[in-house]
Amino acid sequence: LTEMSKKMSALKQGMKGTNAPQTIPDDMVSDLRDAFSFYDKENTGMISMPNFRNILHNFGFWKMSKKEIEEELKNFNIEQSKKGLTFQEVLNVITGKWCSNGKEEEARDCFRIFDKKDRGTITNNDIKTVLNEYLEHPVTPIMESEMNELMKELDPNDTGIVTFENFLRLYAQ
C-alpha cells in the first residue's frame, strides 16, 4: 500500500516536467545500501559476484544472463577478475539498468494495478478506484479537481482513456 502511494507521488512529481540526470529514487538507494550491507557481513566494502547477482535479482533484474551481467560490468569498466564489487560499482550498474529499462518495467507493473481487466488502457474511474483503495488515508477521497488535473496529464487528447505510453511518459520523468 505504501509503495502505491510512493508511485503515485512519483507520478505526480513527474507532471512537473523535470529532466533529472540518471539517478534512482532515494528509497531505492537506501534499499540497495541495506542489501549491500547484508552481503558485506565483514564490512570489507566489497561483495562477491554471486551476491551481486542476488542483488540484481532482488531489484528486478532477474532476467539478466551471465553474459549480460558481464557486459554491464564492462560498460562501467569494472574488472570481473577482482575479488568483488564496491557499493559504488553496484550502485552504478543498478542505476544504469534502472534508467535504461527498469523504470518502464516498474511503470508496467504499476499500470497493471489500474488495468484490472487487462485491456491495455485505463480510465478515470480505474485510477480513482485504485487510488481510493490503496492510498494510506482512504478516509480522504480523491478530489474531483485532483482527478481532472491528473487526467489532463495522462490523457492529453481528452479521450477518457489512458494508454500505457502516456502513463509511462509521466511515470518515467
Side-chain angles (χ1 to χ4, degrees):
L1 301 178
T2 304
E3 193 63 29
M4 185 65 204
S5 297
K6 287 179 187 175
K7 288 178 182 181
M8 288 315 301
S9 292
L11 180 62
K12 286 181 182 178
Q13 285 296 331
M15 287 192 285
K16 294 183 175 139
T18 60
N19 289 328
Q22 284 196 339
T23 59
I24 59 176
D26 290 342
D27 60 330
M28 200 169 165
V29 173
S30 177
D31 291 345
L32 183 57
R33 195 174 308 282
D34 290 344
F36 187 90
S37 295
F38 175 80
Y39 290 114
D40 184 22
K41 293 183 188 326
E42 297 176 14
N43 293 319
T44 62
M46 305 279 276
I47 61 167
S48 68
M49 186 59 69
N51 289 337
F52 172 62
R53 281 191 211 104
N54 287 340
I55 287 176
L56 284 170
H57 184 272
N58 292 338
F59 279 79
F61 304 112
W62 53 272
K63 295 178 184 178
M64 289 181 72
S65 68
K66 187 174 182 178
K67 185 174 179 169
E68 289 172 318
I69 292 171
E70 289 171 3
E71 284 297 316
E72 284 298 317
L73 294 175
K74 271 188 212 174
N75 290 340
F76 289 96
N77 298 319
I78 300 170
E79 287 183 45
Q80 297 169 44
S81 59
K82 68 181 197 168
K83 187 174 181 174
L85 288 92
T86 65
F87 175 76
Q88 190 59 52
E89 291 168 333
V90 172
L91 177 62
N92 289 345
V93 172
I94 294 287
T95 299
K97 289 298 294 173
W98 170 254
C99 291
S100 68
N101 68 359
K103 288 180 191 177
E104 183 172 341
E105 289 177 27
E106 183 173 288
R108 192 167 300 283
D109 290 343
C110 186
F111 187 83
R112 285 184 189 120
I113 292 170
F114 294 103
D115 185 16
K116 292 181 180 189
K117 296 179 182 174
D118 200 26
R119 297 177 306 240
T121 59
I122 55 179
T123 65
N124 183 321
N125 285 337
D126 295 331
I127 295 170
K128 190 183 282 187
T129 299
V130 171
L131 289 179
N132 283 324
E133 286 176 14
Y134 287 98
L135 287 177
E136 287 181 42
H137 306 289
V139 177
T140 308
I142 305 300
M143 292 177 22
E144 199 62 37
S145 62
E146 292 171 321
M147 276 308 302
N148 291 339
E149 182 181 334
L150 182 60
M151 285 305 289
K152 278 184 205 173
E153 296 295 326
L154 289 171
D155 180 21
N157 297 327
D158 198 25
T159 63
I161 295 174
V162 177
T163 63
F164 175 71
E165 290 75 23
N166 283 345
F167 186 86
L168 175 63
R169 180 178 46 82
L170 290 174
Y171 189 94
Q173 288 182 346

